[in-house]
Amino acid sequence: MTVTLKDIAAVAGVSHSTVSRALNGNPMIPPETAVRIRKIADELGYVPNTIASGLRRTHSKVLGVLVRRIDDAFLAEVLQGIEDVLYAEGYGLFLATSRRKPEREQAIFRSMSERRVDGVIVCSTEVSQEHLHQLSKFGVPTVLINNQAAIEMAHSVTHDDMSGGLALTRHLIELGHSRIAYLGHSRTGRITRDRLAGYKEALNQAGLPYRAEYVAAGPNGSAEGGAMGMEKLLKVDVRPTAVVCFNDMMAIGAMHALRQAGFGVPEDCSVTGFDNIPLSQYVNPPLTTFHQPRYELGTEAAEMMLRLLSRKHKNLNAAETIALRGRLVVRESSGPPPDGTRNGQ
Amino acid sequence: MTVTLKDIAAVAGVSHSTVSRALNGNPMIPPETAVRIRKIADELGYVPNTIASGLRRTHSKVLGVLVRRIDDAFLAEVLQGIEDVLYAEGYGLFLATSRRKPEREQAIFRSMSERRVDGVIVCSTEVSQEHLHQLSKFGVPTVLINNQAAIEMAHSVTHDDMSGGLALTRHLIELGHSRIAYLGHSRTGRITRDRLAGYKEALNQAGLPYRAEYVAAGPNGSAEGGAMGMEKLLKVDVRPTAVVCFNDMMAIGAMHALRQAGFGVPEDCSVTGFDNIPLSQYVNPPLTTFHQPRYELGTEAAEMMLRLLSRKHKNLNAAETIALRGRLVVRESSGPPPDGTRNGQ
DNA sequence: AATTTTTGCGCAAACCTTTGCGTGGATGAT
DNA sequence: ATCATCCACGCAAAGGTTTGCGCAAAAATT
């Protein structure tokens, strides 16, 4: 049924080795023979069997990508970045989502090992050190994107969360705010801490006090989580006049909760997000946020992986981290504090 | 380096065939032998080589998925639906994005053929009849999701666009609108036509005239496209009091353009979207839209593909289409028309 | 006890490609 | 004419698995 090298060889009157070499551009085969064979292959409708060639060669030209979930504006764009460079380099992309289930993650790593992917890119998931170790034991290189727990001896690309938290908070301070809250996300580790650290640092630099009651966390990173977190903050005695949210979706939820409670944004309370997801500019009011180089996170990770694969002498030990910088995006959800709160509380 | 069946066989003192059979649960091997072998395999850290087994077997247990792009709220959720059922069934997911480039699409189909995927799911892209034919020639079954051009003899799952357009328009009519515009998307084929058809049908049923000047198209399906389309509609002599947009992002753009021009939504002009993307409830005002069963589109397509693969006697000819129904979601972007336009213009 | 059946497993081929090594013929040098 | 060189290609092994067939030993039947 399907045509193989042997079939082409029979028609061309050569051995299948010659066909293989001709098709792979091996210089051993003179050009005229090569084009003749190529032509016959095309006429016969030959489609090389990557799976057979992968068996003989050592690599599969496929990269595994593990991501928490696909239907997330942030991750989707990172994925697109990865896919674009993999496509350009002729690599395939084997995708799986962990959905935060450790057993699913486990199964995925196994499946990727079995499929002999050349490497795996792990994106924004709480991946355990052991799993990664298990992979590296098989010589499967790994690149981490925004890993939650800082993992030793790993290749990773991250964005600079701390400077983002700092930039947003400083922006609010410059607008005159002093009662600034931080609305985090209880299920994320390093990232929420880093952003919180930036927030604290900004307060510190401005000589403003840090108040524990101004730090709340939503149960998750969605709009619902933001709304729930905001409701907590609204119960504080002296309400904050600005809130730095963990991400844009939470900020959107927070604004929703504020509106529900009868407060205007930014008149009564400024709100900032984080990530600059495409939507943040279309909500009303458009969101002040910190832009993440999402797409670039993907491309950088993919390129790092490709570099890793090209230097065959896998000195996987040499850890490497590249940190991408974001930028403050000021829109209309942040403004001066309400009158009377300008200086001090 | 890596441990193979042969290594296990050596330790267990049997042949590698026996190991293979034991590990695959072949009843020929008595249970006690099987568990003994299984144990040795585990101790040795054996990881089956799917690529070798795929060579011997005829199938790869991998499905190709071709999608226009990943960073699109709609497609991402469809993808998640696909991934979830594939994961549950032990299938892998090989992902590629066409990004509307025909040559890229071509290359992707080729790459998928070469990788011997068991089938491909094509999602919402303007895929040509020939490409699909090329795949089916190789016995690679195909399932289409929301294909733009209705393609003959194909398996596909779609949503019912016409009834969506009809439901939205009827909703506006019931609110009292008579000057209702349709804002389409010039780059999509069947879908925009179907929604338009539903719009016309609703007008027709209500005895309202269809006016060509009330039908505009944006250059693309994004918020920018919606804004640009809306600007055209605002130039019409007698402005519409409601506009049915092709999708939510365009609706968001349209609302933006209306605000820029000093009009209120819905006081001056109602706006409806299509898709009910997660964000549509968080924009201000929250968007009236037509919910698409995105996730289910994915799961249905994956399940259809799996059914296709299970009946080995590939009677691929038997076309099959399943249409999923959506539902109207009324929020605050639609309301009664401004005074004085209620009856007639 | 002799014969048949069953059980448990090994042999080897097959899947398709890549590649080290070898070979026969042509070409060039002496 | 003889020998070394080189060119173009073929042979066969290798990569890891699955599986039809066969075979010896054990069990069951007579």
Side-chain angles (χ1 to χ4, degrees):
Chain A
M1 192 76 227
T2 112
V3 24
T4 74
L5 286 186
K6 224 176 295 185
D7 301 318
I8 303 174
V11 175
V14 295
S15 79
H16 69 279
S17 334
T18 303
V19 179
S20 170
R21 285 191 258 251
L23 263 30
N24 288 331
N26 187 315
M28 181 190 286
I29 308 297
E32 53 270 29
T33 314
V35 306
R36 188 172 66 89
I37 291 178
R38 163 98 275 156
K39 201 172 145 206
I40 297 178
D42 288 347
E43 284 166 0
L44 261 46
Y46 173 69
V47 174
N49 187 330
T50 310
I51 173 159
S53 105
L55 181 58
R56 185 64 234 262
R57 302 187 151 141
T58 328
H59 56 271
S60 59
K61 281 284 213 171
V62 171
L63 254 39
V65 175
L66 170 58
V67 86
R68 183 162 46 74
R69 52 189 295 172
I70 311 173
D71 51 350
D72 172 290
F74 189 96
L75 296 176
E77 204 165 337
V78 173
L79 267 175
Q80 186 69 62
I82 295 175
E83 211 270 335
D84 281 350
V85 350
L86 292 195
Y87 170 75
E89 298 293 330
Y91 271 80
L93 164 37
F94 187 85
L95 179 70
T97 64
S98 70
R99 298 187 134 252
R100 265 194 221 283
K101 307 255 177 63
E103 75 280 5
R104 184 157 171 171
E105 192 170 275
Q106 171 95 339
I108 288 167
F109 277 128
R110 173 148 197 111
S111 149
M112 287 186 175
S113 303
E114 294 186 359
R115 293 207 161 78
R116 299 294 195 268
V117 297
D118 291 342
V120 359
I121 298 178
V122 176
C123 189
S124 197
T125 183
E126 311 87 338
V127 71
S128 70
Q129 184 100 277
E130 310 100 80
H131 282 167
L132 291 183
H133 187 68
Q134 176 186 339
L135 276 182
S136 78
K137 216 174 46 185
F138 271 94
V140 182
T142 312
V143 167
L144 269 31
I145 299 182
N146 278 353
N147 61 306
Q148 307 282 17
I151 289 185
E152 310 259 328
M153 305 302 276
H155 293 259
S156 58
V157 6
T158 64
H159 49 74
D160 187 350
D161 289 291
M162 188 172 143
S163 74
L166 191 141
L168 287 163
T169 312
R170 184 179 286 164
H171 161 69
L172 293 168
I173 293 171
E174 284 167 0
L175 283 171
H177 292 271
S178 58
R179 307 205 309 254
I180 305 173
Y182 177 80
L183 177 47
H185 169 182
S186 58
R187 296 187 67 181
T188 181
R190 201 217 78 219
I191 300 184
T192 208
R193 278 200 307 279
D194 283 4
R195 293 181 187 174
L196 179 59
Y199 159 86
K200 287 183 187 172
E201 175 65 16
L203 292 184
N204 196 31
Q205 287 181 6
L208 289 171
Y210 166 74
R211 310 183 186 183
E213 71 267 29
Y214 278 178
V215 174
N220 59 61
S222 68
E224 288 82 3
M228 293 172 69
M230 191 66 228
E231 282 159 17
K232 287 189 219 163
L233 287 174
L234 285 175
K235 295 203 189 91
V236 178
D237 294 343
V238 182
R239 275 196 308 277
T241 62
V243 42
V244 175
C245 298
F246 174 72
N247 67 20
D248 289 343
M249 285 310 292
M250 292 189 77
I252 290 170
M255 293 201 295
H256 201 69
L258 281 165
R259 263 200 303 278
Q260 294 291 103
F263 295 104
V265 176
E267 309 86 74
D268 299 311
C269 184
S270 290
V271 172
T272 66
F274 210 112
D275 288 352
N276 190 26
I277 60 175
L279 244 139
S280 58
Q281 64 179 304
Y282 291 107
V283 294
N284 188 9
L287 199 56
T288 289
T289 187
F290 193 77
H291 176 79
Q292 296 270 29
R294 297 177 288 277
Y295 184 84
E296 287 75 15
L297 279 171
T299 57
E300 286 292 335
E303 280 163 8
M304 181 184 281
M305 173 59 78
L306 261 21
R307 279 199 303 276
L308 233 54
L309 293 175
S310 70
R311 12 183 226 279
K312 273 294 169 213
H313 53 293
K314 310 223 178 73
N315 53 343
L316 293 176
N317 322 356
E320 180 186 358
T321 294
I322 104 172
L324 266 32
R325 300 195 72 83
R327 64 168 202 279
L328 181 66
V329 177
V330 177
R331 298 207 187 91
E332 298 162 32
S333 71
S334 60
D339 288 344
T341 67
R342 186 109 193 178
N343 297 316
Q345 56 185 57
Chain B
M1 193 76 228
T2 112
V3 26
T4 74
L5 286 186
K6 227 176 293 185
D7 301 319
I8 303 174
V11 175
V14 294
S15 78
H16 70 279
S17 334
T18 302
V19 178
S20 169
R21 285 191 259 250
L23 263 31
N24 289 330
N26 186 316
M28 183 188 286
I29 307 296
E32 55 269 29
T33 313
V35 305
R36 187 170 66 89
I37 291 179
R38 162 98 278 156
K39 201 172 143 208
I40 296 178
D42 288 346
E43 283 166 359
L44 262 45
Y46 172 69
V47 174
N49 187 331
T50 310
I51 171 159
S53 105
L55 181 59
R56 185 64 234 262
R57 300 186 152 140
T58 328
H59 55 271
S60 58
K61 280 283 214 171
V62 171
L63 255 40
V65 175
L66 169 59
V67 86
R68 183 162 45 74
R69 52 189 295 173
I70 310 174
D71 52 349
D72 172 291
F74 189 97
L75 296 177
E77 206 165 335
V78 173
L79 266 175
Q80 186 68 61
I82 295 175
E83 211 269 335
D84 281 350
V85 348
L86 293 195
Y87 170 75
E89 298 293 329
Y91 272 79
L93 163 38
F94 186 85
L95 179 69
T97 64
S98 69
R99 299 188 134 250
R100 266 193 221 283
K101 306 256 176 60
E103 75 281 5
R104 184 156 171 173
E105 191 170 276
Q106 172 94 339
I108 288 168
F109 278 128
R110 173 149 196 109
S111 148
M112 288 186 175
S113 302
E114 293 186 358
R115 294 206 161 81
R116 299 295 195 267
V117 297
D118 290 341
V120 358
I121 298 178
V122 175
C123 190
S124 198
T125 182
E126 311 87 341
V127 69
S128 69
Q129 184 101 278
E130 310 100 77
H131 281 167
L132 292 183
H133 188 68
Q134 176 186 340
L135 276 182
S136 78
K137 216 171 49 185
F138 271 93
V140 182
T142 310
V143 167
L144 268 32
I145 299 181
N146 280 353
N147 60 305
Q148 306 283 14
I151 289 186
E152 310 259 328
M153 304 304 276
H155 293 258
S156 58
V157 6
T158 64
H159 49 74
D160 188 349
D161 289 291
M162 191 175 139
S163 74
L166 191 141
L168 287 163
T169 312
R170 185 179 286 166
H171 162 69
L172 292 168
I173 292 170
E174 285 168 358
L175 283 171
H177 291 270
S178 58
R179 306 205 312 253
I180 305 173
Y182 177 80
L183 176 48
H185 168 181
S186 59
R187 294 187 68 181
T188 180
R190 201 217 78 218
I191 301 184
T192 207
R193 278 200 306 279
D194 282 4
R195 294 180 187 174
L196 180 59
Y199 159 86
K200 286 184 187 170
E201 174 64 17
L203 291 184
N204 196 31
Q205 288 180 6
L208 290 170
Y210 166 73
R211 311 184 188 182
E213 72 268 29
Y214 278 177
V215 175
N220 59 60
S222 70
E224 288 82 2
M228 293 172 69
M230 190 69 227
E231 282 160 16
K232 288 189 218 165
L233 287 174
L234 285 174
K235 296 204 187 89
V236 178
D237 293 344
V238 183
R239 276 194 308 277
T241 61
V243 43
V244 174
C245 298
F246 173 72
N247 67 20
D248 289 343
M249 285 309 294
M250 293 190 76
I252 290 169
M255 294 201 296
H256 201 69
L258 281 165
R259 264 198 302 277
Q260 294 292 102
F263 295 104
V265 176
E267 310 85 75
D268 299 312
C269 184
S270 291
V271 173
T272 66
F274 210 113
D275 287 353
N276 190 28
I277 61 175
L279 244 140
S280 57
Q281 64 180 305
Y282 292 107
V283 293
N284 189 8
L287 199 56
T288 290
T289 186
F290 193 78
H291 176 78
Q292 296 270 30
R294 299 177 287 278
Y295 184 83
E296 288 76 15
L297 278 171
T299 57
E300 287 291 334
E303 281 164 6
M304 181 183 280
M305 172 59 78
L306 260 20
R307 279 199 301 277
L308 232 55
L309 292 175
S310 70
R311 12 181 228 278
K312 273 293 167 213
H313 53 293
K314 311 225 176 73
N315 52 344
L316 293 177
N317 323 354
E320 179 186 358
T321 294
I322 104 170
L324 266 32
R325 301 193 73 82
R327 64 168 201 279
L328 181 66
V329 177
V330 177
R331 298 205 188 93
E332 298 161 32
S333 71
S334 59
D339 289 343
T341 67
R342 185 112 194 175
N343 298 315
Q345 58 186 51

